[in-house]
Amino acid sequence: MKAIVLAGGKSTRLRPLTWELPKPMVPVLNVPVMDSILSLLCHHNIVDVCTTLMFMPQKMITRYGNGYDYGLNLTWNTEEHALGTAGSVKATGNFVDSTVVVISGDCITDFDLTEAYRFHKKHHAEATILMTRVDVPIDFGLLVTDSAGAITGFQEKPDWNEVFTNQVNSGIYILEPSVLSMIPPDQAFDFSRDLFPEMLRQRRRLFGYEAPGYWSDIGSLDSYMKTHFDILQNKMHFHFPGKEISPGVFVDDGTEIDASAMIHAPCVIGKSCHIGPGVVLDGNVILGNNVVLEEEVMLSRSILWNGCYMDYAAEGRGCVLGNRVHIMHHVLISENVVIGDETVIREYASVKANVLIWPRKVVDPHVSVDASMVFTERRSATRFGKNGLSGVINVDFTPEFASRLGAAYGTKLGEKGLVAVFWDGSPPSRLFRYAFIAGLLSTGVKVYDMKAMFLPVVRQTVSLLDVDGAIHIMVSGDTTERLQVLLLTPNGANVDKDFEHSVESIYAKEDFIHVPAGMIADVEGMPDVHDSYLRHLMNLCNQVLIRKAKLRIILTASSKDLIDYLHKLFSGLGCHIVDAYVTDRFTPYLLLQEDGLQDALLCVWMDKNAETLSLMDKSGQVVYGDLYNVLTASILYQKNPGIQLLVPASSPSVIENLAKKHGGHCTRVRNDEQAIVRMLMKDDVFSTAYNQYQLQFDAIASLLFILEFLVQHNTTLSETLQNLPKWHLETRTLHCPWELIGHLMHRLLVEPHEGTLDTTDGIKYIFENGWILIFPDAEQPMLHFIAEGTTPRIAITLLRKYTTLIQWMMDETVGTS
């Protein structure tokens, strides 16, 4: 067997440590990662090795040469442009003439490659993915296998609500030459995103081997530190350099340690170091070669590379120092600080938590560094959630954050992009908008600064503009403290997760485009389009029929501007607004006290962004959530014979019954509203009436068409609701630690179970008389349970059975850990 080591990445997530160093040369326990990989290959008698390079290739070639010093025959293949993981293997040409193991140049592992090879051959596989289990699987690709080990499904870098297992792709593959024919030459092509899904579609022999042992991807600063501490805790077979002078304390040749120094295990100290009087190394400390610690230096959970110097009474807690970093006396370095090569921190200075300092910077005496140099914010501020970004204004969403997010978004689009910026008219949105536009302009992007608009108007307007992207900034929920930020595609839908992850990555790396002054574009204003949106809706409906009906409705909404807007629409259609007032929440008990309730066709509440619609009939029955979705599905099936609806996996089964009754169809999908909107908006949803987007995601259009439907059928909301089939749903939520979610979902997936298993969204068991759906929350450490039964008793029984089972699994897992 041969081996290919993929070592061409720029390793931007490890900066500043990799600013001038290829990631495979980064030391782990004072041993470069590449050394560990080559030793592993040699241990398994794999001697023919090709390494793919792109970023700083000469440093790798100079250090490792032809590999003879490692007992290997080492060759190199340098790429001129990024080819992706599979593309890099393809570019090695004739090297792959027999079975080959492909391993990433940024992993630390003690996997038994020989045993994995036996598994591969035993199953006559064309490709075998070595799998492992992790506590937090959202940064990896998830894999599902059958009992024989054949791979049956993938999920690449899921959100928490998409986690169905903690079994992940390690990035180590065993391949047969036949696989290479599926990889196009000289173009970017990835194993996990392109090749393996295609193998699955073609039903090629693709297997997963769950490899026992330790594995870690050191691709981020967090995982880099965690890998060190894992190895120090003996989670991996590792040959520590030096001699063990006391249990868990390893010291290499030429190091001098003062008798008064206190060294607590675990600890690794390199060659020719000086440990002065009163020094305290308080566990989980790794020192490279030629490190000098003067008297009374204190270190804990820290990693220092070669040649670092710390003067007396300096202190470091949970930090990483690159080569030849100079720390003067009484300096305090806090948690998660990373300092690049040859930086000098002068006396009495302090570096606050989460700060990154690039190489060869100087911090003056008594300065407190609370932001990365030269950059301004910590790396973790941009985690996209289920519905874009959400945060507290001037806490999470500062002007600096908004500007840098704008720069990241502009960098993703490219300096010739054109972006429309929308907002909801609120003061917090205005503040964010100005700062965001500044960041966009710094990248050379041209900006349309739009008037304040409601979200459905925004989506339609974007689809009419010739832009490369758009953003909508709006107050979130029923508070003025939080903002929600949506990035939109040129057709008005939310961008997908790959796009969000790209922006997030650019933000985290702070790898922004900054154009010269002469390339900074102007900001152009645009006219108000609210009236044209109303005219468009009115043209889609039967105005004569609605005017003739002289409808009477009660309007409530969480925004006065929205009340005025709705008043303009329905007054223009001859409707009488019995009453209208602003309320942040739908309040049926107040509406029941309305004097004009019995004269009104229905009561309406709409959220301030005009996305969510709730209705109430004269009897006080409230229509929202599942009932609203069933009502609108019934209308859509009646108005559009043969229509196909996208239905969340958590929706009642009566929607299938409605589809059969009216000759329609439905496809069960993940319970992700933005993904559904994105799929719906692939078609033109603005030119025709009665489509799923309008009825379920545009509250203004939905209200208009529901009213028209009632008039056309000479019926009331109460009568329409009475004709809907009944269903019985029960829900519950359990708190579950993040690190257990993947483990529990995997057990539900693979252990024997009753009913039919469906993994469209989470884990769903389907029985003759009902079903139970279990899925993680996207943003909180929780598991959600939804049960449906043909009777309330069946739904409650299913819910109790599976919440009890999960609680028992959690208790058992915690008890054995």
Side-chain angles (χ1 to χ4, degrees):
M1 185 164 60
K2 294 182 176 182
I4 295 176
V5 181
L6 303 178
K10 290 185 177 180
S11 59
T12 50
R13 290 190 300 152
L14 268 179
R15 290 179 180 173
L17 297 177
T18 53
W19 185 245
E20 299 173 330
L21 187 70
K23 183 161 50 176
M25 292 180 67
V26 168
V28 172
L29 275 300
N30 297 334
V31 178
V33 174
M34 188 67 174
D35 285 42
S36 298
I37 292 172
L38 296 181
S39 296
L40 176 71
L41 296 175
C42 190
H43 176 72
H44 290 281
N45 297 314
I46 302 172
V47 296
D48 291 320
V49 180
C50 180
T51 300
T52 66
L53 302 173
M54 190 177 74
F55 180 62
M56 292 188 284
Q58 196 54 46
K59 289 194 175 185
M60 292 281 289
I61 295 171
T62 299
R63 175 177 174 88
Y64 295 100
N66 55 22
Y68 288 173
D69 292 343
Y70 295 85
L72 304 172
N73 176 25
L74 186 57
T75 58
W76 307 91
N77 188 69
T78 303
E79 300 168 9
E80 294 184 1
H81 58 275
L83 295 174
T85 51
S88 292
V89 171
K90 180 77 170 184
T92 62
N94 296 329
F95 179 80
V96 184
D97 56 5
S98 60
T99 307
V100 62
V101 58
V102 178
I103 187 168
S104 172
D106 61 0
C107 77
I108 292 289
T109 184
D110 58 3
F111 285 169
D112 189 336
L113 301 181
T114 302
E115 202 56 42
Y117 175 77
R118 292 192 185 109
F119 174 93
H120 175 81
K121 289 299 185 182
K122 175 183 175 182
H123 291 82
H124 305 288
E126 287 186 275
T128 296
I129 302 174
L130 274 65
M131 305 180 301
T132 189
R133 295 183 184 274
V134 297
D135 291 337
V136 182
I138 60 173
D139 290 326
F140 303 95
L142 307 185
L143 301 173
V144 182
T145 57
D146 64 17
S147 58
I151 291 175
T152 59
F154 294 94
Q155 176 65 54
E156 187 66 18
K157 294 187 178 179
D159 285 340
W160 273 112
N161 59 314
E162 299 173 303
V163 169
F164 52 78
T165 180
N166 62 344
Q167 189 169 262
V168 304
N169 180 352
S170 72
I172 303 175
Y173 315 122
I174 300 176
L175 309 175
E176 294 301 318
S178 60
V179 171
L180 267 64
S181 63
M182 302 178 65
I183 304 173
D186 198 32
Q187 70 180 63
F189 204 73
D190 189 74
F191 280 117
S192 57
R193 291 185 182 276
D194 302 311
L195 179 64
F196 295 147
E198 183 59 28
M199 290 186 69
L200 206 59
R201 282 190 288 270
Q202 295 186 18
R203 299 188 177 183
R204 305 282 284 258
R205 296 193 64 78
L206 176 62
F207 282 77
Y209 171 71
E210 186 171 342
Y214 182 82
W215 172 87
S216 178
D217 168 9
I218 66 155
S220 69
L221 294 167
D222 289 339
S223 63
Y224 177 69
M225 295 185 72
K226 182 179 183 299
T227 299
H228 282 79
F229 304 147
D230 284 348
I231 297 174
L232 287 176
Q233 294 167 15
N234 297 314
K235 293 184 178 181
M236 172 183 167
H237 300 298
F238 191 87
H239 177 69
F240 291 96
K243 297 179 181 179
E244 190 171 13
I245 63 171
S246 63
V249 177
F250 296 86
V251 179
D252 217 333
D253 298 337
T255 288
E256 299 176 353
I257 302 175
D258 189 88
S260 63
M262 298 178 62
I263 302 178
H264 302 296
C267 183
V268 172
I269 302 174
K271 297 179 180 179
S272 303
C273 295
H274 170 78
I275 312 298
V279 168
V280 177
L281 304 183
D282 196 20
N284 287 307
V285 172
I286 300 95
L287 306 181
N289 301 328
N290 303 302
V291 172
V292 175
L293 306 180
E294 300 290 9
E295 57 186 294
E296 298 183 9
V297 166
M298 191 275 183
L299 285 170
S300 63
R301 293 181 59 81
S302 295
I303 303 164
L304 278 61
W305 289 9
N306 297 336
C308 288
Y309 175 88
M310 295 185 71
D311 209 343
Y312 64 88
E315 183 175 346
R317 300 192 297 255
C319 60
V320 181
L321 309 186
N323 293 313
R324 299 175 297 282
V325 172
H326 197 116
I327 306 295
M328 300 295 284
H329 57 270
H330 290 97
V331 167
L332 175 61
I333 312 294
S334 297
E335 292 83 358
N336 299 319
V337 168
V338 181
I339 301 178
D341 295 352
E342 299 179 11
T343 290
V344 177
I345 312 292
R346 301 290 299 277
E347 59 272 15
Y348 294 100
S350 63
V351 184
K352 297 296 181 64
N354 303 303
V355 165
L356 308 179
I357 300 180
W358 255 239
R360 286 177 288 283
K361 300 293 185 292
V362 176
V363 176
D364 289 334
H366 300 278
V367 169
S368 177
V369 182
D370 59 3
S372 296
M373 294 178 63
V374 174
F375 310 105
T376 57
E377 281 198 307
R378 66 187 185 193
R379 297 180 305 110
S380 58
T382 62
R383 186 68 182 180
F384 281 86
K386 189 174 182 180
N387 294 304
L389 283 167
S390 178
V392 178
I393 193 69
N394 275 339
V395 177
D396 305 308
F397 283 7
T398 62
E400 295 83 4
F401 167 80
S403 177
R404 292 181 61 229
L405 181 65
Y409 183 46
T411 299
K412 169 63 178 174
L413 293 180
E415 59 191 50
K416 295 184 180 180
L418 175 59
V419 176
V421 177
F422 296 84
W423 61 306
D424 63 0
S426 66
S429 297
R430 180 185 291 112
L431 171 64
F432 191 96
R433 161 174 151 251
Y434 287 151
F436 185 86
I437 288 175
L440 280 175
L441 293 174
S442 72
T443 66
V445 167
K446 184 178 179 181
V447 175
Y448 287 159
D449 187 14
M450 309 298 293
K451 303 288 185 181
M453 296 183 194
F454 306 113
L455 185 54
V457 187
V458 168
R459 293 195 191 279
Q460 180 176 337
T461 303
V462 174
S463 72
L464 299 174
L465 296 172
D466 186 18
V467 294
D468 298 297
I471 178 175
H472 185 53
I473 308 156
M474 55 190 177
V475 171
S476 175
D478 58 0
T479 174
T480 59
E481 299 297 318
R482 295 189 69 84
L483 283 181
Q484 185 178 0
V485 176
L486 302 179
L487 302 183
L488 306 177
T489 65
N491 65 351
N494 286 41
V495 299
D496 60 24
K497 289 175 185 172
D498 285 344
F499 192 99
E500 287 181 341
H501 289 160
S502 294
V503 174
E504 189 175 283
S505 177
I506 293 167
Y507 180 99
K509 299 169 189 174
E510 301 176 338
D511 193 13
F512 309 131
I513 295 172
H514 289 302
V515 299
M519 293 181 62
I520 296 175
D522 291 331
V523 177
E524 294 189 19
M526 297 289 284
D528 193 336
V529 298
H530 276 102
D531 288 345
S532 63
Y533 171 82
L534 292 183
R535 288 193 299 271
H536 176 73
L537 282 184
M538 292 174 70
N539 290 335
L540 291 177
C541 72
N542 189 331
Q543 298 183 44
V544 174
L545 185 67
I546 295 175
R547 286 195 178 94
K548 184 177 179 180
K550 297 180 180 180
L551 299 176
R552 298 170 63 85
I553 57 178
I554 297 174
L555 288 177
T556 67
S558 56
S559 159
K560 184 179 183 303
D561 290 340
L562 184 53
I563 288 284
D564 294 341
Y565 193 56
L566 294 172
H567 203 287
K568 182 185 296 186
L569 171 63
F570 291 107
S571 296
L573 289 170
C575 301
H576 176 64
I577 309 301
V578 176
D579 198 1
Y581 57 88
V582 177
T583 175
D584 285 336
R585 298 178 182 275
F586 191 35
T587 51
Y589 65 93
L590 291 178
L591 291 171
L592 286 170
Q593 301 172 21
E594 283 282 345
D595 292 336
L597 177 60
Q598 294 306 313
D599 294 331
L601 178 65
L602 49 76
C603 302
V604 176
W605 178 83
M606 207 174 288
D607 76 312
K608 66 186 67 176
N609 297 316
E611 286 186 289
T612 303
L613 177 66
S614 298
L615 307 172
M616 191 182 81
D617 66 10
K618 295 178 182 181
S619 68
Q621 183 170 5
V622 177
V623 181
Y624 69 98
D626 287 322
L627 181 55
Y628 177 81
N629 289 335
V630 173
L631 170 65
T632 52
S634 176
I635 293 173
L636 287 165
Y637 283 132
Q638 293 179 63
K639 296 292 293 185
N640 301 280
I643 191 175
Q644 172 135 348
L645 301 185
L646 302 178
V647 180
S650 58
S651 296
S653 299
V654 296
I655 295 182
E656 275 93 349
N657 299 335
L658 288 169
K660 292 177 183 177
K661 177 180 178 181
H662 297 289
H665 309 276
C666 71
T667 299
R668 291 281 174 171
V669 296
R670 287 183 49 249
N671 188 24
D672 183 341
E673 287 189 2
Q674 301 309 325
I676 295 173
V677 169
R678 195 160 47 247
M679 288 186 279
L680 293 174
M681 294 184 70
K682 289 180 180 178
D683 300 322
D684 182 3
V685 296
F686 301 111
S687 61
T688 59
Y690 292 97
N691 60 65
Q692 186 176 357
Y693 166 76
Q694 291 169 331
L695 268 290
Q696 295 184 346
F697 299 101
D698 179 343
I700 300 171
S702 179
L703 176 57
L704 174 61
F705 294 129
I706 288 173
L707 290 172
E708 184 185 54
F709 177 85
L710 297 177
V711 172
Q712 287 175 336
H713 289 75
N714 192 28
T715 187
T716 65
L717 179 62
S718 300
E719 293 169 349
T720 303
L721 295 175
Q722 289 173 5
N723 292 328
L724 294 177
K726 301 297 186 287
W727 67 91
H728 309 285
L729 284 182
E730 296 289 337
T731 64
R732 188 180 171 189
T733 298
L734 284 183
H735 178 271
C736 180
W738 289 123
E739 62 273 14
L740 295 185
I741 288 177
H743 170 76
L744 294 175
M745 296 298 286
H746 183 78
R747 287 188 64 176
L748 291 172
L749 184 69
V750 301
E751 291 187 358
H753 55 79
E754 301 172 349
T756 302
L757 174 66
D758 178 55
T759 58
T760 299
D761 189 7
I763 302 294
K764 188 176 187 179
Y765 299 130
I766 303 172
F767 311 96
E768 288 186 4
N769 56 2
W771 51 259
I772 178 80
L773 172 65
I774 306 166
F775 61 96
D777 191 272
E779 298 174 354
Q780 301 182 69
M782 294 179 178
L783 287 175
H784 296 286
F785 298 77
I786 302 176
E788 181 181 28
T790 53
T791 66
R793 183 181 182 86
I794 291 172
I796 292 171
T797 300
L798 281 172
L799 192 69
R800 287 176 177 170
K801 175 180 178 179
Y802 282 91
T803 53
T804 301
L805 173 64
I806 289 293
Q807 189 63 62
W808 176 81
M809 285 182 174
M810 282 196 285
D811 294 342
E812 180 190 46
T813 303
V814 172
T816 57
S817 61

